[in-house]
Amino acid sequence: MSEQQWIDIFINDDRDIQLDVAGMPGYTDDRATIAQDIKHMIMETGILVELIAERSREKWLANMNQLELMVEEDVRIVPGTVEIDQTETGVIYLTAETVMGPIQWPFSIDQINGVNND
């Protein structure tokens, strides 16, 4: 079994530290850590929030291109493999090839807004 290359505290969809039954922080590793880092980088840019009510297709495409380029700056991402697509239902998918294998992150407008649907 190979040693874990990247380890991080797991942050759940509510943007809180995920605790185990003993109240200790949960951890994530390798591809999941890369995906979590990319997710947080994208969320912190504020670009997705700008697009919530945006009607201009050109603005959407420009911002998605900007995000793809930002993601590709991460040294763990294989250049040229980042894709961001939006489905008809409003879910946006980010896919990329990392040095550890593929990642995919689906996110919705509610996640961008920080809405908890529980």
Side-chain angles (χ1 to χ4, degrees), residues 18-84:
Q18 183 70 42
L19 303 176
D20 65 15
V21 293
M24 300 299 294
Y27 291 92
T28 182
D29 60 15
D30 297 333
R31 283 189 309 163
T33 297
I34 297 169
Q36 179 173 276
D37 289 347
I38 297 298
K39 174 183 175 179
H40 294 150
M41 183 269 302
I42 289 172
M43 299 298 279
E44 290 169 5
T45 66
I47 291 173
L48 296 177
V49 175
E50 291 177 16
L51 295 177
I52 290 172
E54 184 60 56
R55 294 178 185 249
S56 168
R57 180 82 175 139
E58 291 78 22
K59 175 99 171 164
W60 259 92
L61 293 174
N63 281 354
M64 291 300 111
N65 187 48
Q66 181 182 358
L67 286 176
E68 286 178 3
L69 293 173
M70 290 172 66
V71 171
E72 284 193 357
E73 289 179 8
D74 190 306
V75 297
R76 302 168 294 181
I77 301 294
V78 176
T81 64
V82 177
E83 291 184 23
I84 300 177

Side-chain angles (χ1 to χ4, degrees), residues 62-111:
N63 281 354
M64 291 300 111
N65 187 48
Q66 181 182 358
L67 286 176
E68 286 178 3
L69 293 173
M70 290 172 66
V71 171
E72 284 193 357
E73 289 179 8
D74 190 306
V75 297
R76 302 168 294 181
I77 301 294
V78 176
T81 64
V82 177
E83 291 184 23
I84 300 177
D85 296 307
Q86 183 180 21
T87 67
E88 290 178 18
T89 60
V91 175
I92 300 169
Y93 286 93
L94 178 139
T95 57
E97 187 69 32
T98 73
V99 294
M100 305 287 300
I103 60 171
Q104 181 180 36
W105 176 48
F107 51 101
S108 67
I109 297 300
D110 286 345
Q111 286 177 313

